[in-house]
Amino acid sequence: MLVHVLFAAVLAVGSAQTPANTFPDGFLFGCATAAYQVEGAWNEDGKGESIWDHMLHEHPEYGNNGDNGDVTCDSYHKYKEDVQMLKAINADVYRFSISWSRILPTGDIDVINQPGIDYYNNLINELLDNGIQPVVTMYHWDLPQALQYLGGWPNGLIADYFVEYARVLFDNFGDRVKWWITFNEPGVFVSGYAEVGTAAPSQPAPGIGDYLAIHTLLRAHGRVYRLYDQQYRATQNGSVGITLNIQNIEPASNSTEDLEAVDRYMQFEDGIFAHPIFSEDGDYPAVVRQRVDANSEAEGRPRSRLPTFTQEEIEYLRGSADFFGLNHYRTYYAAAGETGPVPSKRRDSGAYTISSNENNPAGLRKILNWITAEYPGYPIFVTENGYGDSGGLNDTGRVEYLTNYLSALLEAINTDGVEVLGYTMWTLMDNMEWTSGFSIKMGLYEVDFDSVNKTRTPRLSAYAMSEIFESKQLPVLN
Ligand code: IFM
């Protein structure tokens, strides 16, 4: 266990603990990571290339300073140390993702890579042996490059491949994994089919490629949920959800136009994924359907750029989640206006963001309430929340951010009655922050990327979280 002294020095902890400071029984605390960001070993033991491997090897200029995930934290070899770090901070759960191409190098089930299966079995067993439950994300952005050669997510057939991949995961790990997340932040990774240089595979087909990708991944999600229901739930008894990144959106001004833009922005960014799964009616939000259809027609197209679900698809997608995974980081300010290329999702939405603020914990409380109001009946799992800086062990900014956001989360639970299952902060240790490379530090543990051992050192925030994770209480600030 980590010493508590440092944290106590930063926050004056009162002696009286009140229920208002206490998380509910069974609340799960832990950290989150993703395969490409921490594993390294990008081509070891039969792993296939992913779209992130491919993009940053072919186009290092899309990244930061030539950084890539070839080695990063080397968790492929150092997973036991990672588990001890989690244990030291009293984590109940560890949210990590599985690299599809480490399990299925071709993306298909013609080759099942046993060393890949062994790696995740070892990690899962090591976690369980240390009293930590795995929370597994099936897809955190690293599509096998072999499937990108077939067009990637805009190709509707990729849903079939994803279902087969999920079956391999349930068959091999489902006896021990009780928390599954199909997709992490689809809103981010579909931008890889809209623009160049932000996300792999960097295909510039805005307003078409991203909508096609959304359509495929939603169908894939619904089918995997039903697969679990029909063939695995009875024996494995786990939960399956999806994680959306939902930021708090405030109007840039008090004008009616900007107030209306907030809702449109949220429907195009969040509702487009949430409505088909979590709403009572299912399908895409009406405002999204109507605006994309109208713009497509005005452009002289024979069909809408946003595909249509069949009635059967609407039905199997509706209610296809046991929990709502939420990643939340900050507040944005949105205004009304047609910006972005023609066509593009942003232009279709008639809304855009002009600035952001990461210091607004009330935004998390607001979003938790928004989800509960829009999509009642689904417990929420906060699967990411965290703070980036330029490094250093004395990370008081991160401690303050996490404590304040946790306090807002607690208010949503204890005052507003929102049902929240757990909180996995981003992230256990500094890692490969996609196109920002190693320049942004977000870990409870510092990683020395220049050292052979990728040495990990706990920050002040690790001590702070170890206290909260153990006591399930927030410190009372004097
Ligand atoms: O590092 C990312 C993660 O992969 C997805 N959510 C946001 C994090 C911080 O930017």
Side-chain angles (χ1 to χ4, degrees):
M1 191 183 309
L2 295 171
V3 283
H4 299 162
V5 184
L6 273 174
F7 180 41
V10 173
L11 295 170
V13 182
S15 53
Q17 298 291 354
T18 65
N21 276 11
T22 306
F23 287 86
D25 281 351
F27 191 86
L28 299 169
F29 274 115
C31 298
T33 63
Y36 183 71
Q37 295 179 270
V38 301
E39 282 179 8
W42 79 277
N43 61 353
E44 261 183 64
D45 291 345
K47 178 182 171 292
E49 188 185 37
S50 79
I51 54 176
W52 274 90
D53 296 323
H54 189 82
M55 183 182 87
L56 289 179
H57 290 157
E58 296 293 311
H59 291 283
E61 73 279 11
Y62 294 166
N64 171 65
N65 204 20
D67 293 346
N68 59 42
D70 288 4
V71 181
T72 180
C73 308
D74 198 22
S75 287
Y76 185 69
H77 299 109
K78 294 176 72 72
Y79 69 90
K80 287 190 178 175
E81 201 178 315
D82 295 348
V83 173
Q84 288 314 307
M85 286 152 55
L86 286 155
K87 195 174 176 186
I89 56 167
N90 302 304
D92 306 301
V93 290
Y94 179 42
R95 175 178 176 237
F96 63 92
S97 79
I98 290 185
S99 155
W100 184 342
S101 63
R102 194 179 291 290
I103 300 275
L104 304 177
T106 68
D108 203 351
I109 55 171
D110 57 333
V111 182
I112 298 184
N113 184 38
Q114 193 55 43
I117 301 275
D118 294 345
Y119 169 66
Y120 293 110
N121 268 329
N122 290 339
L123 172 57
I124 290 165
N125 292 340
E126 188 74 12
L127 287 166
L128 292 172
D129 287 348
N130 284 278
I132 301 165
Q133 292 182 54
V135 175
V136 174
T137 310
M138 297 176 174
Y139 187 81
H140 198 122
W141 309 356
D142 45 356
L143 187 74
Q145 177 62 26
L147 299 185
Q148 186 50 45
Y149 289 132
L150 307 180
W153 288 108
N155 176 351
L157 291 176
I158 299 300
D160 295 351
Y161 291 83
F162 187 74
V163 175
E164 293 310 321
Y165 163 57
R167 190 191 296 279
V168 172
L169 302 189
F170 294 146
D171 282 341
N172 282 278
F173 311 124
D175 56 334
R176 287 150 296 147
V177 172
K178 303 302 162 196
W179 295 98
W180 293 103
I181 293 167
T182 53
F183 292 100
N184 179 72
E185 300 185 1
V188 176
F189 77 76
V190 301
S191 69
Y193 296 97
E195 59 201 35
V196 170
T198 50
S202 277
Q203 302 290 310
I208 303 174
D210 40 2
Y211 288 136
L212 293 176
I214 289 169
H215 202 68
T216 308
L217 75 88
L218 282 169
R219 290 169 56 249
H221 165 85
R223 287 176 57 191
V224 165
Y225 183 84
R226 298 302 163 200
L227 172 71
Y228 193 78
D229 256 359
Q230 286 152 18
Q231 296 183 25
Y232 296 94
R233 190 182 294 280
T235 50
Q236 300 189 347
N237 201 26
S239 298
V240 180
I242 184 169
T243 280
L244 307 181
N245 54 310
I246 304 189
Q247 312 312 329
N248 179 45
I249 309 297
E250 299 288 343
S253 78
N254 283 333
S255 70
T256 312
E257 291 76 15
D258 286 355
L259 287 167
E260 289 171 358
V262 168
D263 185 58
R264 274 205 313 282
Y265 186 88
M266 291 192 74
Q267 292 308 326
F268 271 81
E269 291 299 314
D270 311 318
I272 197 168
F273 301 104
H275 204 271
I277 298 171
F278 296 100
S279 74
E280 228 170 82
D281 295 342
D283 208 347
Y284 291 117
V287 65
V288 172
R289 175 87 272 160
Q290 181 265 318
R291 289 180 72 95
V292 185
D293 289 0
N295 284 351
S296 303
E297 196 182 336
E299 290 153 16
R301 297 172 190 273
R303 69 189 77 79
S304 176
R305 287 181 274 104
L306 179 67
T308 307
F309 289 122
T310 64
Q311 197 54 40
E312 187 196 359
E313 289 167 343
I314 290 174
E315 292 308 324
Y316 74 61
L317 263 165
R318 210 159 54 98
S320 62
D322 301 314
F323 63 92
F324 194 121
L326 168 69
N327 290 358
H328 177 85
Y329 285 84
R330 55 178 56 224
T331 289
Y332 285 90
Y333 296 89
E338 314 272 314
T339 65
V342 181
S344 64
K345 184 151 78 68
R346 186 170 4 133
R347 185 163 285 270
D348 288 333
S349 76
Y352 64 105
T353 52
I354 53 173
S355 61
S356 77
N357 168 16
E358 68 187 329
N359 187 19
N360 183 27
L364 172 57
R365 181 175 176 185
K366 203 170 151 201
I367 287 304
L368 289 165
N369 278 283
W370 180 82
I371 293 170
T372 305
E374 291 273 313
Y375 312 112
Y378 292 94
I380 301 169
F381 201 132
V382 179
T383 45
E384 282 183 33
N385 171 239
Y387 177 88
D389 63 17
S390 56
L393 293 179
N394 192 28
D395 56 342
T396 51
R398 180 168 296 105
V399 172
E400 200 180 325
Y401 174 99
L402 294 172
T403 311
N404 288 339
Y405 274 75
L406 279 171
S407 174
L409 170 62
L410 202 45
E411 283 183 307
I413 298 172
N414 287 344
T415 308
D416 309 334
V418 175
E419 187 184 358
V420 186
L421 300 167
Y423 174 92
T424 49
M425 66 80 59
W426 188 271
T427 178
L428 176 63
M429 60 195 145
D430 296 342
N431 56 50
M432 166 64 189
E433 180 56 25
W434 308 107
T435 51
S436 300
F438 300 108
S439 64
I440 298 179
K441 314 293 182 186
M442 300 191 76
L444 296 184
Y445 288 78
E446 175 191 80
V447 177
D448 179 357
F449 293 103
D450 294 329
S451 66
V452 180
N453 285 328
K454 310 297 168 201
T455 307
R456 287 101 153 111
T457 309
R459 293 198 165 102
L460 184 64
S461 55
Y463 298 101
M465 289 307 109
S466 83
E467 291 252 337
I468 294 171
F469 291 4
E470 185 183 34
S471 66
K472 306 272 193 269
Q473 287 179 333
L474 286 183
V476 177
L477 299 178
N478 290 329

